[in-house]
Amino acid sequence: MASDSSNKAIYAAMGANLAIAITKFLAASITGSSAMISEGIHSIVDTVDQLVLLLGIRRSQKPADASHPFGYGQELYFWTFIVALLVFALGGGMSIYQGIIHLINPSPLEDPKWNYIVLAIAILLEGFSWIVALREFLPTKGKQNFWQAIKNSKDPTVLTILFEDTAAILGLFVAFIGIFLGHLFNNVYFDGIASIIIGIILAIVAVVLARESKGLLVGESAAPKTIANIRSLSKTEPGVKEVIRILTMQLAPQEVLLNLEIQFAQNLTGEEIALTVESLEIKIRQMHPEIKQIFIEAKSLAAARKTSQIPQ
Protein backbone atom coordinates (compact mmCIF):
# COMPACT_ATOMS: atom_id res chain seq x y z
CA MET A 1 0.00 0.00 0.00
CA ALA A 2 1.03 3.59 -0.34
CA SER A 3 3.01 4.86 2.63
CA ASP A 4 2.28 7.79 4.96
CA SER A 5 5.05 9.68 3.17
CA SER A 6 3.00 9.47 -0.03
CA ASN A 7 -0.01 11.03 1.72
CA LYS A 8 2.19 13.77 3.16
CA ALA A 9 3.52 14.71 -0.28
CA ILE A 10 0.01 14.65 -1.79
CA TYR A 11 -1.57 16.88 0.86
CA ALA A 12 1.31 19.36 0.66
CA ALA A 13 0.99 19.55 -3.13
CA MET A 14 -2.81 19.80 -3.07
CA GLY A 15 -2.84 22.70 -0.60
CA ALA A 16 -0.18 24.58 -2.55
CA ASN A 17 -1.84 24.03 -5.94
CA LEU A 18 -5.30 25.12 -4.80
CA ALA A 19 -3.95 28.39 -3.39
CA ILE A 20 -1.83 28.96 -6.50
CA ALA A 21 -4.73 28.30 -8.89
CA ILE A 22 -6.89 30.98 -7.25
CA THR A 23 -4.14 33.61 -7.37
CA LYS A 24 -3.23 32.76 -10.97
CA PHE A 25 -6.77 33.15 -12.25
CA LEU A 26 -7.15 36.43 -10.38
CA ALA A 27 -3.96 37.73 -11.99
CA ALA A 28 -5.07 36.48 -15.44
CA SER A 29 -8.44 38.25 -15.11
CA ILE A 30 -6.67 41.52 -14.28
CA THR A 31 -3.88 41.36 -16.87
CA GLY A 32 -5.35 39.21 -19.66
CA SER A 33 -2.23 37.02 -19.79
CA SER A 34 -2.61 33.79 -21.78
CA ALA A 35 0.37 32.25 -19.97
CA MET A 36 -1.27 32.98 -16.60
CA ILE A 37 -4.51 31.34 -17.76
CA SER A 38 -2.49 28.27 -18.80
CA GLU A 39 -0.76 28.26 -15.43
CA GLY A 40 -4.13 28.52 -13.68
CA ILE A 41 -5.42 25.55 -15.66
CA HIS A 42 -2.23 23.70 -14.81
CA SER A 43 -2.74 24.27 -11.07
CA ILE A 44 -6.41 23.21 -11.23
CA VAL A 45 -5.43 20.00 -13.07
CA ASP A 46 -2.73 19.33 -10.47
CA THR A 47 -5.25 19.77 -7.64
CA VAL A 48 -7.68 17.34 -9.32
CA ASP A 49 -4.78 14.93 -9.87
CA GLN A 50 -3.97 14.87 -6.16
CA LEU A 51 -7.62 14.11 -5.35
CA VAL A 52 -7.49 11.23 -7.85
CA LEU A 53 -4.30 9.92 -6.23
CA LEU A 54 -5.97 10.00 -2.81
CA LEU A 55 -8.90 8.07 -4.30
CA GLY A 56 -6.44 5.53 -5.71
CA ILE A 57 -4.73 5.11 -2.33
CA ARG A 58 -8.05 4.60 -0.59
CA ARG A 59 -9.33 2.05 -3.10
CA SER A 60 -6.02 0.16 -3.11
CA GLN A 61 -6.39 -0.46 0.64
CA LYS A 62 -9.55 -2.55 0.27
CA PRO A 63 -9.01 -6.05 1.72
CA ALA A 64 -8.73 -9.07 -0.52
CA ASP A 65 -11.95 -10.92 -1.37
CA ALA A 66 -13.12 -13.83 -3.50
CA SER A 67 -13.02 -11.84 -6.74
CA HIS A 68 -9.64 -10.24 -5.95
CA PRO A 69 -7.71 -12.82 -3.87
CA PHE A 70 -4.49 -10.76 -4.01
CA GLY A 71 -6.18 -7.54 -2.96
CA TYR A 72 -6.76 -4.24 -4.74
CA GLY A 73 -3.24 -2.82 -4.55
CA GLN A 74 -2.97 -2.35 -8.32
CA GLU A 75 -5.88 0.10 -8.25
CA LEU A 76 -3.29 2.68 -7.22
CA TYR A 77 -1.41 2.09 -10.48
CA PHE A 78 -4.64 2.42 -12.48
CA TRP A 79 -5.54 5.78 -10.93
CA THR A 80 -1.97 7.02 -11.39
CA PHE A 81 -2.36 6.22 -15.08
CA ILE A 82 -5.60 8.24 -15.09
CA VAL A 83 -3.65 11.15 -13.58
CA ALA A 84 -1.16 10.95 -16.45
CA LEU A 85 -4.03 11.12 -18.95
CA LEU A 86 -5.49 14.16 -17.15
CA VAL A 87 -2.12 15.93 -17.21
CA PHE A 88 -1.79 15.23 -20.93
CA ALA A 89 -5.36 16.03 -22.03
CA LEU A 90 -6.40 18.80 -19.66
CA GLY A 91 -3.08 20.28 -18.63
CA GLY A 92 -1.05 19.97 -21.81
CA GLY A 93 -3.90 20.09 -24.32
CA MET A 94 -5.70 23.07 -22.81
CA SER A 95 -2.48 25.07 -22.41
CA ILE A 96 -1.47 24.49 -26.02
CA TYR A 97 -5.00 25.36 -27.17
CA GLN A 98 -5.02 28.52 -25.09
CA GLY A 99 -1.64 29.55 -26.54
CA ILE A 100 -2.79 28.98 -30.13
CA ILE A 101 -5.97 31.00 -29.54
CA HIS A 102 -3.88 33.83 -28.13
CA LEU A 103 -1.60 33.78 -31.18
CA ILE A 104 -4.58 33.88 -33.53
CA ASN A 105 -6.43 36.56 -31.57
CA PRO A 106 -3.80 38.40 -29.52
CA SER A 107 -4.90 40.84 -26.84
CA PRO A 108 -2.67 43.54 -25.35
CA LEU A 109 -1.23 42.84 -21.93
CA GLU A 110 -2.18 45.10 -19.05
CA ASP A 111 0.03 46.06 -16.12
CA PRO A 112 2.31 43.00 -15.56
CA LYS A 113 2.90 43.82 -11.89
CA TRP A 114 0.21 41.41 -10.67
CA ASN A 115 1.58 38.63 -12.87
CA TYR A 116 5.01 38.99 -11.34
CA ILE A 117 3.64 39.04 -7.80
CA VAL A 118 1.56 35.92 -8.40
CA LEU A 119 4.41 34.11 -10.14
CA ALA A 120 6.73 34.87 -7.22
CA ILE A 121 4.17 33.54 -4.71
CA ALA A 122 3.52 30.47 -6.88
CA ILE A 123 7.24 29.68 -7.19
CA LEU A 124 7.58 29.78 -3.39
CA LEU A 125 4.54 27.53 -2.83
CA GLU A 126 5.47 25.09 -5.60
CA GLY A 127 9.04 25.06 -4.30
CA PHE A 128 7.78 24.07 -0.84
CA SER A 129 5.67 21.26 -2.30
CA TRP A 130 8.60 20.12 -4.49
CA ILE A 131 10.95 19.99 -1.48
CA VAL A 132 8.43 17.88 0.48
CA ALA A 133 8.11 15.43 -2.42
CA LEU A 134 11.88 15.31 -2.92
CA ARG A 135 12.47 14.56 0.76
CA GLU A 136 10.05 11.65 0.56
CA PHE A 137 11.65 10.38 -2.66
CA LEU A 138 15.35 10.59 -1.69
CA PRO A 139 15.26 7.79 0.96
CA THR A 140 14.06 5.37 -1.74
CA LYS A 141 16.84 6.42 -4.12
CA GLY A 142 19.77 4.78 -2.30
CA LYS A 143 22.92 4.67 -4.41
CA GLN A 144 21.02 4.81 -7.69
CA ASN A 145 21.14 7.86 -9.90
CA PHE A 146 17.89 9.80 -10.29
CA TRP A 147 16.80 8.14 -13.54
CA GLN A 148 17.48 4.63 -12.18
CA ALA A 149 15.56 5.47 -9.01
CA ILE A 150 12.64 6.79 -11.05
CA LYS A 151 12.64 3.73 -13.31
CA ASN A 152 12.82 1.29 -10.38
CA SER A 153 10.35 3.13 -8.14
CA LYS A 154 7.32 1.08 -7.13
CA ASP A 155 5.40 3.94 -5.48
CA PRO A 156 3.95 6.15 -8.25
CA THR A 157 2.34 8.64 -5.88
CA VAL A 158 5.47 10.44 -4.68
CA LEU A 159 6.93 10.15 -8.17
CA THR A 160 3.83 11.77 -9.69
CA ILE A 161 3.91 14.68 -7.22
CA LEU A 162 7.63 15.20 -7.83
CA PHE A 163 7.16 15.25 -11.61
CA GLU A 164 4.12 17.52 -11.44
CA ASP A 165 5.87 20.00 -9.15
CA THR A 166 8.96 19.98 -11.39
CA ALA A 167 6.76 20.70 -14.42
CA ALA A 168 4.96 23.41 -12.46
CA ILE A 169 8.18 25.19 -11.51
CA LEU A 170 9.46 25.01 -15.09
CA GLY A 171 6.10 26.30 -16.32
CA LEU A 172 6.23 29.24 -13.92
CA PHE A 173 9.64 30.29 -15.18
CA VAL A 174 8.44 29.94 -18.78
CA ALA A 175 5.41 32.10 -17.97
CA PHE A 176 7.66 34.70 -16.32
CA ILE A 177 9.95 34.83 -19.35
CA GLY A 178 7.01 35.04 -21.77
CA ILE A 179 5.35 37.89 -19.88
CA PHE A 180 8.65 39.73 -19.37
CA LEU A 181 9.67 39.49 -23.04
CA GLY A 182 6.17 40.47 -24.15
CA HIS A 183 6.38 43.73 -22.26
CA LEU A 184 10.06 44.32 -22.98
CA PHE A 185 9.57 44.12 -26.74
CA ASN A 186 5.91 45.17 -26.71
CA ASN A 187 5.08 41.92 -28.51
CA VAL A 188 1.89 40.10 -27.49
CA TYR A 189 2.95 36.87 -29.18
CA PHE A 190 5.55 35.96 -26.54
CA ASP A 191 2.73 35.31 -24.08
CA GLY A 192 0.99 32.84 -26.41
CA ILE A 193 4.27 31.09 -27.19
CA ALA A 194 4.93 30.71 -23.46
CA SER A 195 1.52 29.08 -23.05
CA ILE A 196 2.29 26.55 -25.80
CA ILE A 197 5.68 25.72 -24.24
CA ILE A 198 3.97 25.15 -20.87
CA GLY A 199 1.59 22.73 -22.59
CA ILE A 200 4.48 20.86 -24.21
CA ILE A 201 6.23 20.51 -20.83
CA LEU A 202 3.06 19.06 -19.32
CA ALA A 203 2.60 16.66 -22.25
CA ILE A 204 6.17 15.35 -21.85
CA VAL A 205 5.68 14.82 -18.11
CA ALA A 206 2.37 13.05 -18.78
CA VAL A 207 4.00 10.64 -21.25
CA VAL A 208 6.76 9.76 -18.73
CA LEU A 209 4.21 9.20 -15.95
CA ALA A 210 1.99 7.08 -18.22
CA ARG A 211 4.96 4.96 -19.24
CA GLU A 212 5.99 4.29 -15.63
CA SER A 213 2.40 3.61 -14.52
CA LYS A 214 1.80 1.26 -17.43
CA GLY A 215 4.76 -0.92 -16.45
CA LEU A 216 3.40 -1.36 -12.93
CA LEU A 217 -0.19 -1.79 -14.11
CA VAL A 218 0.50 -4.65 -16.51
CA GLY A 219 2.55 -6.63 -13.98
CA GLU A 220 6.06 -5.36 -13.31
CA SER A 221 8.55 -7.54 -11.43
CA ALA A 222 10.14 -6.62 -8.12
CA ALA A 223 13.41 -4.70 -8.12
CA PRO A 224 16.43 -6.63 -9.54
CA LYS A 225 18.21 -6.29 -6.17
CA THR A 226 15.27 -7.98 -4.43
CA ILE A 227 15.32 -10.88 -6.90
CA ALA A 228 19.09 -11.28 -6.46
CA ASN A 229 18.67 -11.36 -2.66
CA ILE A 230 15.98 -14.03 -2.92
CA ARG A 231 18.27 -16.18 -5.06
CA SER A 232 21.14 -15.77 -2.58
CA LEU A 233 18.92 -16.57 0.41
CA SER A 234 17.57 -19.69 -1.28
CA LYS A 235 21.05 -21.02 -1.90
CA THR A 236 21.94 -20.70 1.79
CA GLU A 237 19.47 -23.48 2.61
CA PRO A 238 21.34 -26.83 2.76
CA GLY A 239 18.42 -28.70 1.22
CA VAL A 240 18.25 -26.47 -1.88
CA LYS A 241 20.21 -27.89 -4.79
CA GLU A 242 19.30 -25.27 -7.41
CA VAL A 243 17.09 -22.20 -7.86
CA ILE A 244 15.43 -22.83 -11.21
CA ARG A 245 13.21 -19.77 -11.61
CA ILE A 246 12.09 -16.70 -9.64
CA LEU A 247 8.87 -15.00 -10.68
CA THR A 248 7.73 -11.82 -8.93
CA MET A 249 4.94 -9.31 -9.45
CA GLN A 250 4.50 -5.89 -7.84
CA LEU A 251 0.94 -5.81 -6.50
CA ALA A 252 1.31 -2.48 -4.65
CA PRO A 253 4.15 -0.19 -3.54
CA GLN A 254 4.76 -2.36 -0.45
CA GLU A 255 3.31 -5.67 -1.65
CA VAL A 256 5.03 -8.28 -3.82
CA LEU A 257 3.96 -11.74 -4.97
CA LEU A 258 6.72 -14.36 -5.23
CA ASN A 259 6.70 -17.68 -7.06
CA LEU A 260 9.88 -19.65 -6.43
CA GLU A 261 10.77 -22.78 -8.40
CA ILE A 262 13.38 -24.84 -6.57
CA GLN A 263 15.10 -28.17 -7.06
CA PHE A 264 15.69 -29.82 -3.71
CA ALA A 265 18.38 -32.34 -2.87
CA GLN A 266 17.27 -35.86 -3.84
CA ASN A 267 17.97 -37.38 -0.42
CA LEU A 268 15.51 -35.16 1.47
CA THR A 269 12.41 -36.65 3.05
CA GLY A 270 9.04 -35.00 2.66
CA GLU A 271 9.28 -33.64 6.21
CA GLU A 272 12.75 -32.19 5.56
CA ILE A 273 11.51 -30.47 2.40
CA ALA A 274 8.61 -28.93 4.36
CA LEU A 275 11.03 -27.65 7.03
CA THR A 276 13.32 -26.22 4.33
CA VAL A 277 10.41 -24.41 2.70
CA GLU A 278 9.29 -22.99 6.06
CA SER A 279 12.81 -21.82 6.92
CA LEU A 280 13.25 -20.21 3.52
CA GLU A 281 9.91 -18.36 3.77
CA ILE A 282 10.88 -16.97 7.18
CA LYS A 283 14.26 -15.73 5.87
CA ILE A 284 12.69 -14.10 2.80
CA ARG A 285 10.01 -12.30 4.85
CA GLN A 286 12.56 -11.09 7.38
CA MET A 287 14.74 -9.50 4.70
CA HIS A 288 11.85 -8.39 2.45
CA PRO A 289 8.69 -7.73 4.49
CA GLU A 290 7.03 -6.34 1.34
CA ILE A 291 6.79 -9.91 -0.01
CA LYS A 292 3.33 -10.86 1.26
CA GLN A 293 2.56 -13.90 -0.89
CA ILE A 294 5.11 -16.72 -1.37
CA PHE A 295 4.52 -19.82 -3.51
CA ILE A 296 7.34 -22.37 -3.66
CA GLU A 297 7.25 -25.04 -6.34
CA ALA A 298 9.36 -28.10 -5.53
CA LYS A 299 10.50 -29.70 -8.78
CA SER A 300 11.97 -32.83 -7.18
CA LEU A 301 9.31 -33.28 -4.50
CA ALA A 302 7.86 -36.46 -5.97
CA ALA A 303 11.31 -37.95 -6.45
CA ALA A 304 12.25 -37.03 -2.90
CA ARG A 305 9.17 -38.76 -1.51
CA LYS A 306 9.92 -41.96 -3.47
CA THR A 307 13.48 -41.94 -2.19
CA SER A 308 12.30 -41.58 1.42
CA GLN A 309 10.04 -44.63 1.03
CA ILE A 310 12.81 -47.02 -0.14
CA PRO A 311 13.82 -49.42 2.70
CA GLN A 312 17.34 -48.77 3.98
Side-chain angles (χ1 to χ4, degrees):
M1 303 304 170
S3 62
D4 291 337
S5 62
S6 301
N7 288 335
K8 181 180 178 181
I10 292 172
Y11 283 119
M14 186 165 59
N17 283 317
L18 187 57
I20 292 168
I22 294 171
T23 55
K24 284 176 179 176
F25 280 123
L26 286 174
S29 65
I30 294 171
T31 63
S33 169
S34 173
M36 287 305 295
I37 294 175
S38 295
E39 277 298 307
I41 293 170
H42 179 186
S43 294
I44 287 292
V45 171
D46 282 353
T47 304
V48 172
D49 289 346
Q50 277 107 51
L51 289 171
V52 172
L53 286 177
L54 289 174
L55 173 65
I57 290 174
R58 182 177 178 180
R59 291 186 64 85
S60 70
Q61 293 172 345
K62 291 169 60 178
D65 53 33
S67 60
H68 292 82
F70 296 113
Y72 290 81
Q74 287 184 313
E75 280 236 24
L76 179 59
Y77 300 147
F78 168 76
W79 290 107
T80 305
F81 187 77
I82 295 298
V83 165
L85 295 180
L86 289 174
V87 172
F88 185 86
L90 297 182
M94 290 297 292
S95 294
I96 292 172
Y97 172 78
Q98 181 65 33
I100 292 172
I101 291 298
H102 191 78
L103 291 178
I104 295 172
N105 300 302
S107 57
L109 291 175
E110 304 297 335
D111 182 5
K113 177 180 66 177
W114 288 106
N115 282 333
Y116 296 141
I117 292 173
V118 169
L119 287 172
I121 294 172
I123 288 172
L124 290 175
L125 291 174
E126 288 287 5
F128 166 75
S129 176
W130 184 83
I131 289 171
V132 171
L134 184 64
R135 284 178 177 173
E136 303 303 329
F137 176 72
L138 285 178
T140 67
K141 177 178 172 292
K143 296 181 180 179
Q144 305 173 94
N145 61 43
F146 264 88
W147 182 247
Q148 288 174 330
I150 288 169
K151 187 176 180 180
N152 294 329
S153 175
K154 307 302 181 182
D155 187 350
T157 51
V158 173
L159 191 64
T160 299
I161 298 301
L162 187 61
F163 268 59
E164 284 188 344
D165 287 346
T166 301
I169 292 171
L170 289 174
L172 288 168
F173 281 109
V174 169
F176 177 87
I177 293 170
I179 293 169
F180 175 77
L181 292 178
H183 282 89
L184 181 64
F185 296 104
N186 194 26
N187 188 330
V188 295
Y189 293 107
F190 279 109
D191 193 46
I193 292 171
S195 183
I196 293 173
I197 293 173
I198 291 169
I200 292 171
I201 291 173
L202 291 173
I204 292 171
V205 167
V207 169
V208 174
L209 287 176
R211 181 178 179 276
E212 294 303 313
S213 299
K214 185 207 73 172
L216 292 164
L217 188 60
V218 299
E220 191 170 289
S221 67
K225 184 179 179 181
T226 300
I227 296 173
N229 286 343
I230 293 170
R231 187 176 296 277
S232 298
L233 276 176
S234 301
K235 290 180 178 179
T236 62
E237 285 294 328
V240 174
K241 181 179 180 181
E242 182 184 355
V243 178
I244 299 174
R245 186 168 54 172
I246 299 174
L247 299 176
T248 61
M249 180 181 292
Q250 198 77 34
L251 299 178
Q254 298 298 324
E255 187 174 346
V256 175
L257 181 148
L258 168 64
N259 184 282
L260 194 57
E261 190 175 339
I262 291 176
Q263 182 179 4
F264 291 97
Q266 292 293 325
N267 60 343
L268 292 183
T269 63
E271 183 180 357
E272 288 171 334
I273 290 175
L275 291 173
T276 301
V277 168
E278 183 180 357
S279 173
L280 183 54
E281 287 184 352
I282 292 171
K283 287 182 179 179
I284 291 173
R285 286 198 169 97
Q286 284 177 342
M287 180 169 282
H288 298 284
E290 72 276 11
I291 299 179
K292 309 297 184 184
Q293 306 282 346
I294 301 177
F295 299 92
I296 297 179
E297 183 178 351
K299 271 297 181 183
S300 62
L301 183 59
R305 284 175 176 169
K306 288 180 181 178
T307 302
S308 66
Q309 293 172 357
I310 297 176
Q312 302 296 322

